[in-house]
Amino acid sequence: REALVQVREQKKQVVILSNAPRRAYRAGEVLTSLGLDHRFYDHIITSGEAVFAHMAEHWRGGRRYYYIGPEKDEDLLDGLDYARSGLTQCDFLLNTGFERDDQKLKEYRATLNAAYGLGKKMICANPDRVVVRKNGEKLGCAGMIADAYEKLGGIVQWFGKPYREVYALCLKRFDGIPPASVLAIGDSFETDIAGAAAMGLDSVLVTGGIHKEALYPGGAFSREAFGTLCQQHSATPNWCIERL
């Protein structure tokens, strides 16, 4: 919050980009509850919003879907001409993540095997594999389920960071700002830094987030570990900061 206050005082434009598998206005409600109302940013774009836009304008793969995810995100396609159905009858899978925080991937194996056998395509509304909570706890996300489906041979269409479609939506929201003047900030090599690199954007890696354990072995920042992560993801941030 303090960082955004300073940014806004300097008249900078801010677009919040999240891999949340829900509509942007829903993400805005969450930010407001955390003390970050619309004064702190200009726009919000979510991976869920990218799914909604695609399904409203471009999807030609049928209107019935089998839902994989928690109850809180099952309204993602509300307002569009789609209907939930059983696995056998559906045209595609809509994956927003695990139904419960305590679920394990093995609980979805049977469903994924059956879906693959039926030739169903999956829409993944959150490419994140894990999310880190404020207390440091790591929970599985939709990307973990989608990875497992691809390993079976299933077809997955991904929405959100690091894929170009969601960045294109973001860049359209900036008023008179060229991509060369946009700075991407995030804590994940796999999504934030790789996505920025693919779009030709400068980036800042927040090292105290999802990669904290890897980057601070023994409590001190490791340049060697940093270099390894850069090589693994074929992306290097322009700068690093421990926290905002």
Side-chain angles (χ1 to χ4, degrees):
R1 188 178 189 278
E2 291 77 9
L4 285 174
V5 167
Q6 293 182 51
V7 168
R8 298 302 267 175
E9 287 176 347
Q10 296 178 39
K11 308 299 182 184
K12 306 292 186 185
Q13 295 184 37
V14 176
V15 175
I16 304 292
L17 173 57
S18 169
N19 273 355
R22 58 195 66 95
R23 297 293 304 281
Y25 76 87
R26 292 268 313 281
E29 292 169 354
V30 174
L31 288 180
T32 298
S33 72
L34 296 173
L36 294 173
D37 60 35
H38 65 274
R39 294 172 297 169
F40 296 94
Y41 57 86
D42 295 282
H43 301 281
I44 300 174
I45 296 294
T46 62
S47 53
E49 194 69 29
V51 169
F52 186 89
H54 182 85
M55 303 306 282
E57 300 174 15
H58 305 296
W59 180 255
R60 299 293 182 269
R63 317 306 289 184
R64 297 169 300 176
Y65 65 93
Y66 180 82
Y67 180 67
I68 298 174
E71 182 178 352
K72 65 181 180 180
D73 295 322
E74 63 184 9
D75 63 348
L76 178 56
L77 298 184
D78 280 8
L80 301 179
D81 184 23
Y82 291 92
R84 288 179 63 170
S85 72
L87 186 59
T88 303
Q89 299 82 19
C90 76
D91 298 306
F92 63 95
L93 313 176
L94 178 62
N95 169 23
T96 67
F98 289 85
E99 184 177 353
R100 305 185 315 274
D101 287 348
D102 62 349
Q103 275 190 306
K104 304 300 182 184
L105 184 60
K106 63 182 180 181
E107 298 180 48
Y108 289 87
R109 294 291 185 188
T111 297
L112 296 180
N113 285 331
Y116 172 66
L118 293 167
K120 308 297 184 182
K121 185 174 182 177
M122 175 184 287
I123 298 292
C124 180
N126 177 0
D128 288 351
R129 276 66 177 178
V130 296
V131 63
V132 182
R133 286 194 164 172
K134 193 172 182 179
N135 62 6
E137 181 184 13
K138 292 184 178 181
L139 302 175
C141 293
M144 185 182 293
I145 299 173
D147 271 345
Y149 196 54
E150 281 194 333
K151 288 177 181 177
L152 287 174
I155 298 174
V156 177
Q157 188 163 354
W158 301 78
F159 291 88
K161 301 176 288 184
Y163 301 98
R164 296 181 64 88
E165 190 166 5
V166 78
Y167 283 91
L169 289 176
C170 280
L171 293 176
K172 288 179 181 178
R173 298 301 194 275
F174 287 107
D175 184 11
I177 304 297
S181 296
V182 174
L183 179 66
I185 304 172
D187 71 336
S188 169
F189 270 97
E190 190 169 35
T191 56
D192 301 311
I193 305 306
M199 294 298 292
L201 304 176
D202 285 348
S203 65
V204 172
L205 175 71
V206 181
T207 59
I210 196 171
H211 297 297
K212 184 176 182 178
E213 291 181 6
L215 291 172
Y216 293 88
F221 181 79
S222 169
R223 289 184 177 273
E224 181 180 356
F226 172 75
T228 298
L229 286 170
C230 290
Q231 288 183 341
Q232 287 178 352
H233 298 284
S234 300
T236 302
N238 298 81
W239 301 277
C240 292
I241 53 175
E242 187 171 357
R243 61 187 296 274
L244 284 176

